[in-house]
Amino acid sequence: MAFISIFDVIGPNMIGPSSSHTAGACSIAYLAQKMAPGPIVSADFTLYGSFARTYRGHGTDRALLGGIMGFATDDRRIPDSFRIAREKGLSYHFSINKEEEEIHPNTADICMKTADGKTLTVRGESLGGGKVRITRINQVDVDFSGEYSTLIVIHSDKPGVVAHITKCLSDRNVNIAFMKLFREAKGQTAYSIVESDGKLPEDISADIRENMYVQDVMLVQP
């Protein structure tokens, strides 16, 4: 029997009306913006399943937009996300995908563009009770919750890279809770994702980037 805590029952502090359609949507976008390689100037949201059917009534659109601007689930500015985005000069667009059915019902794709022209696409799923998981980054399937401090290393699928990452963490006395490797295909781009019980050192990225096969490093702290 799975353990359910009182926090799973009550859910997070949030601006309503729905933990899955509002708080969960906000959390997905909040995590996504932490991965962006710079200030976000535009965001395109593609909604699937239940998100696509009820996003206006449940405030999913406002929550996603708020999360992209760095608003947490309990931020009272979420209902005013549209106005705040306009004032900030943040461009946004919502699209509905009703064709893809083999997908979690509360799913959103977020394509972010930064001021220097870089793009990043993130897919997230809202699991209920405010819990979420990130399931795709730039068309590569991944899996992490954002509940732990998370290190995401994008690198070529070459021998020794994972060992380099773990050595950098060990040298800093970082305790690894979970570590997973995802890749496009053998020998191509890979994503190493490390979740830690404690906060990760903000400057760990510089150490990891010293490996010639490392392309990018992202830190997502709770």
Side-chain angles (χ1 to χ4, degrees):
M1 180 177 178
F3 175 76
I4 300 176
S5 76
I6 187 64
F7 299 104
D8 294 326
V9 175
I10 295 174
N13 290 329
M14 66 174 197
I15 301 297
S18 168
S19 63
S20 59
H21 287 71
T22 315
C26 182
S27 292
I28 290 169
Y30 186 76
L31 289 172
Q33 59 90 24
K34 287 191 173 187
M35 291 181 251
I40 300 169
V41 296
S42 69
D44 291 328
F45 304 91
T46 303
L47 310 182
Y48 301 83
S50 181
F51 269 4
R53 292 190 295 272
T54 65
Y55 73 99
R56 288 193 178 94
H58 284 170
T60 304
D61 48 1
R62 298 175 187 273
L64 286 166
L65 192 55
I68 281 293
M69 292 188 288
F71 301 170
T73 57
D74 60 350
D75 198 307
R76 295 187 178 277
R77 293 174 293 176
I78 289 175
D80 295 322
S81 291
F82 292 153
R83 176 184 59 79
I84 296 170
R86 288 193 298 270
E87 291 175 353
K88 288 178 174 288
L90 174 65
S91 174
Y92 60 89
H93 182 261
F94 291 91
S95 300
I96 303 302
N97 185 315
K98 296 182 179 179
E99 289 72 40
E100 193 170 345
E101 297 181 352
E102 298 298 320
I103 195 169
H104 189 280
N106 298 331
T107 297
D109 286 340
I110 307 173
C111 181
M112 298 163 283
K113 185 175 182 179
T114 62
D116 58 0
K118 295 179 181 178
T119 60
L120 176 70
T121 301
V122 173
R123 170 171 290 183
E125 300 173 356
S126 177
L127 308 178
K131 293 184 176 295
V132 304
R133 67 174 182 165
I134 301 301
T135 60
R136 185 177 292 176
I137 302 174
N138 289 338
Q139 307 309 311
V140 175
D141 291 335
V142 299
D143 186 6
F144 69 95
S145 68
E147 295 179 8
Y148 296 84
S149 291
T150 304
L151 173 72
I152 304 164
V153 184
I154 306 174
H155 57 88
S156 299
D157 183 27
K158 299 289 186 181
V161 182
V162 172
H164 169 72
I165 296 168
T166 56
K167 183 180 185 303
C168 289
L169 294 168
S170 176
D171 289 347
R172 297 296 196 92
N173 294 315
V174 173
N175 186 46
I176 297 174
F178 307 99
M179 184 170 185
K180 303 173 186 176
L181 175 68
F182 305 89
R183 59 186 184 178
E184 293 176 338
K186 183 178 178 179
Q188 297 186 21
T189 300
Y191 286 69
S192 288
I193 297 181
V194 179
E195 295 174 280
S196 173
D197 296 314
K199 184 169 180 169
L200 291 160
E202 292 291 340
D203 59 350
I204 192 71
S205 299
D207 297 343
I208 294 172
R209 289 178 190 272
E210 290 180 1
N211 186 285
M212 64 182 294
Y213 295 117
V214 171
Q215 300 167 15
D216 199 4
V217 181
M218 308 172 191
L219 274 180
V220 181
Q221 310 271 27

